[in-house]
Amino acid sequence: MKKITFCFLLLSFINSMSWSQCDESQNGDLVYNIDFQSTWNATEHSSIPAGAHWSDLVIISHSIPNQFLEVGENASQGIKDLAELGNNAAIDWEVFTAINQGTAHSINIVPFNTPNNATASATIQQIAICTEFRYLTILSMVAPSPDWFIAANSVEIIDTNGQWIDFLELDVYAYDAGTDNGTDYDSPNSPNTPVGISLISGFPLNGNKIGTLTFDFEFELLSTPNFEASKTLKIAPNPSKGHISINGDNVANLQSVKVYNILGSLVKDILVNTKESALNLDLSALNKGIYLVKLNTKNGETTTQKLIIE
């Protein structure tokens, strides 16, 4: 077992996609379970404000380190909105754009088990990790706050010998997005000229860790048509002529499938109600091109994949 503590924006992790097998052109899948446990407490963090909670946990897999944020650099609109409002629409779009450009693989949004609790936890099971997208960035708003958020940035689960780490535990810290002048949990809105993202080392969080992330290796997926056994959701074939199948043990948990074109416009919104282990969809009426398929589950989780229609 390994434990790594970072006093700076947590660095390096994995390529990964929750519930989605890698494309055939990629180098196979590994599967991890990921858990975030809050340790927000009045002793180390000055107090617990009224209404303390976390926004949904955002998990992004990508191929370039520091792709979506970097300490000392100004926050993107996506990071600003997440840190100030707990709103994921802009970061969703930034990841969509990166997926279209081939530098990101997925974005997963996971609700907390007890969302209105300062010491809540969030768990996502069986994330399939592709070697070409080895970095994972994990985000959530510290709420209420002016513009504070937790971040595990571009974390890579590979050791110095190039081997996948079977277990990793990270101490998680809170950061200031640099987009609001507020100094306490309940400070009124006070926009400022943006400054770089920074660790909150002073009052009220005092530079103390505010949670723990664990990454637990579960098993390896074999890139073969005969592989059976995964609870992950898989879209196939991809590329396709428009007739696709979504397979996996979690298909019965799907609530809807939303398909977006490269401009971000919703072109298909499909409600799902099936007890089968496969969902067949006919998207052949869509024009040839790149689409983003967002899979939404009944318990509020989402994952987004790229689909190519030829």
Side-chain angles (χ1 to χ4, degrees), residues 159-201:
D159 64 22
T160 55
N161 296 317
Q163 301 298 312
W164 294 99
I165 295 172
D166 58 4
F167 183 90
L168 181 63
E169 183 177 297
L170 303 178
D171 289 340
V172 178
Y173 297 86
Y175 294 84
D176 190 318
T179 57
D180 189 288
N181 284 322
T183 58
D184 202 352
Y185 297 114
D186 295 307
S187 294
N189 188 37
S190 179
N192 63 295
T193 301
V195 296
I197 295 169
S198 62
L199 175 72
I200 302 173
S201 57

Side-chain angles (χ1 to χ4, degrees), residues 214-225:
T214 57
F215 307 91
D216 190 7
F217 173 76
E218 184 165 339
F219 58 82
E220 183 172 358
L221 301 183
L222 303 177
S223 295
T224 164

Side-chain angles (χ1 to χ4, degrees), residues 5-271:
T5 300
F6 292 95
C7 293
F8 50 87
L9 198 59
L10 300 177
L11 196 46
S12 266
F13 169 69
I14 37 184
N15 127 62
S16 162
M17 164 178 263
S18 166
W19 306 333
S20 175
Q21 194 171 23
C22 306
D23 296 339
E24 293 178 2
S25 61
Q26 296 160 1
N27 297 327
D29 298 348
L30 298 173
V31 170
Y32 279 83
N33 297 326
I34 299 176
D35 178 78
F36 173 73
Q37 176 61 60
S38 167
T39 58
W40 192 358
N41 65 85
T43 300
E44 294 181 302
H45 309 111
S46 301
S47 66
I48 300 293
H53 66 281
W54 300 91
S55 66
D56 290 344
L57 199 68
V58 175
I59 304 173
I60 307 165
S61 64
H62 52 102
S63 61
I64 302 171
N66 301 316
Q67 187 169 350
F68 296 98
L69 70 152
E70 186 172 1
V71 169
E73 299 295 324
N74 287 357
S76 68
Q77 187 66 45
I79 296 298
K80 178 180 184 294
D81 288 355
L82 181 147
E84 291 186 2
L85 306 170
N87 187 315
N88 298 321
I91 192 70
D92 216 13
W93 175 247
E94 290 170 10
V95 178
F96 279 12
T97 301
I99 291 173
N100 280 327
Q101 294 171 344
T103 60
H105 193 218
S106 69
I107 179 168
N108 298 275
I109 299 174
V110 183
F112 275 74
N113 298 331
T114 50
N116 296 317
N117 189 327
T119 55
S121 62
T123 301
I124 185 165
Q125 294 184 322
Q126 296 189 329
I127 287 187
I129 301 163
C130 310
T131 54
E132 292 184 16
F133 297 87
R134 64 183 60 218
Y135 298 104
L136 198 84
T137 292
I138 300 177
L139 309 162
S140 178
M141 178 191 182
V142 179
S145 73
D147 58 343
W148 303 342
F149 67 109
I150 57 167
N153 178 38
S154 306
V155 184
E156 184 179 21
I157 305 184
I158 294 181
D159 64 22
T160 55
N161 296 317
Q163 301 298 312
W164 294 99
I165 295 172
D166 58 4
F167 183 90
L168 181 63
E169 183 177 297
L170 303 178
D171 289 340
V172 178
Y173 297 86
Y175 294 84
D176 190 318
T179 57
D180 189 288
N181 284 322
T183 58
D184 202 352
Y185 297 114
D186 295 307
S187 294
N189 188 37
S190 179
N192 63 295
T193 301
V195 296
I197 295 169
S198 62
L199 175 72
I200 302 173
S201 57
F203 178 86
L205 297 172
N206 307 316
N208 293 317
K209 80 170 188 177
I210 197 168
T212 302
L213 272 168
T214 57
F215 307 91
D216 190 7
F217 173 76
E218 184 165 339
F219 58 82
E220 183 172 358
L221 301 183
L222 303 177
S223 295
T224 164
N226 296 323
F227 176 76
E228 308 181 62
S230 171
K231 291 183 181 178
T232 61
L233 293 177
K234 300 176 286 291
I235 293 179
N238 190 9
S240 81
K241 300 296 183 183
H243 293 275
I244 64 171
S245 178
I246 301 173
N247 300 278
D249 295 344
N250 277 328
V251 169
N253 195 37
L254 274 176
Q255 185 174 59
S256 68
V257 177
K258 297 180 184 290
V259 183
Y260 298 83
N261 64 21
I262 197 169
L263 299 177
S265 298
L266 181 66
V267 295
K268 280 280 186 179
D269 190 353
I270 304 164
L271 293 177

